[in-house]
Amino acid sequence: MKKMLILFGLIIVFSTVNAQTYVTRTAHLNIKSANKVQNIVADNYQVACQLNAQTGDFKITALIKSFEYQIGAVNRVMNTRNINVTEYPRITYDGKIANLKQINLSKPGSYPVKFKGMLYIWDEKRLTDANGTLIVKSDGTIEGKSNFTIAIEEVNVQKIDQIMRQKLPVSLNLQPNTLGISKNIQVNALAILKKQ
């Protein structure tokens, strides 16, 4: 009987923990960066997100190879070993909702949200804050939206510029300083999260 009570207690604990977690594997990331030749736009619809409603812990993971660029040559460049896609295959954001106390995830409504956390991209990590909106729907799902800018370090701008010049068709006949990708990448994120 004692073992049955312990087992029942564990089931309740695990059910409660699972009820506090919201997940999706089909979030959408859209990135934009301007340059002197053409704006670079890419989409990734295979983004995993996880939100712990109790603690506010929030995690996003996206494979770099899953980004689809509007320019075919950019797809080839971004999927080469030259920028460590094999060694560093994913982008990860490990963060927390800073204003969780002002959000009621059990009540339908729209809530402004502040994310604070660490962004891991290639062999770098950096503190990254973002603002967004959480929309709690009547069916219990949560829609998360955010729009923020990532500043790329000068050394990486030069590295990507060099790779792009090597990989883009020679017929484009680019001048040495023509490509010049922007140091700022605009990110739009959308996730529909469901209880696990």
Side-chain angles (χ1 to χ4, degrees):
M1 181 68 175
K2 191 173 184 181
K3 287 182 182 178
M4 288 295 280
L5 287 173
I6 291 171
L7 181 62
F8 183 69
L10 287 172
I11 290 170
I12 290 173
V13 167
F14 284 121
S15 297
T16 304
V17 169
N18 284 339
Q20 299 296 324
T21 304
Y22 292 80
V23 296
T24 185
R25 294 186 189 283
T26 57
H28 174 218
L29 285 179
N30 171 267
I31 61 172
K32 296 177 184 174
S33 179
N35 68 39
K36 296 175 185 175
V37 177
Q38 181 173 345
N39 292 343
I40 295 173
V41 179
D43 290 288
N44 188 337
Y45 291 92
Q46 300 174 18
V47 180
C49 294
Q50 185 173 356
L51 168 64
N52 183 315
Q54 194 170 9
T55 63
D57 291 335
F58 187 73
K59 186 168 189 168
I60 300 174
T61 306
L63 287 175
I64 294 173
K65 287 185 177 184
S66 296
F67 280 96
E68 295 178 7
Y69 295 83
Q70 289 184 1
I71 308 171
V74 177
N75 275 328
R76 290 191 298 275
V77 170
M78 297 305 285
N79 290 323
T80 66
R81 292 184 190 169
N82 293 328
I83 55 170
N84 297 325
V85 172
T86 303
E87 190 177 350
Y88 304 102
R90 56 185 59 87
I91 296 169
T92 303
Y93 181 75
D94 228 337
K96 203 173 189 75
I97 296 176
N99 61 330
L100 186 64
K101 291 181 181 178
Q102 286 84 41
I103 300 168
N104 185 349
L105 295 176
S106 60
K107 180 181 176 185
S110 180
Y111 302 93
V113 66
K114 295 178 182 178
F115 299 104
K116 292 186 176 292
M118 192 70 72
L119 176 68
Y120 300 87
I121 181 167
W122 296 327
D123 52 349
E124 286 187 14
K125 65 179 184 177
R126 69 178 73 175
L127 288 170
T128 303
D129 297 346
N131 293 326
T133 305
L134 290 181
I135 301 167
V136 180
K137 300 192 174 184
S138 57
D139 65 359
T141 60
I142 298 173
E143 181 177 315
K145 297 179 180 180
S146 185
N147 185 326
F148 58 96
T149 301
I150 299 172
I152 301 298
E153 301 294 335
E154 184 67 36
V155 65
N156 287 328
V157 170
Q158 292 170 359
K159 179 166 68 172
I160 294 170
D161 264 358
Q162 181 182 6
I163 294 166
M164 293 284 281
R165 285 192 192 92
Q166 290 170 359
K167 300 291 180 179
L168 287 172
V170 179
S171 59
L172 288 179
N173 195 22
L174 299 174
Q175 296 299 318
N177 296 320
T178 306
L179 193 58
I181 73 166
S182 170
K183 289 184 189 179
N184 293 325
I185 295 178
Q186 189 65 39
V187 179
N188 290 303
L190 174 64
I192 308 294
L193 300 153
K194 295 182 180 180
K195 274 189 184 178
Q196 189 175 31

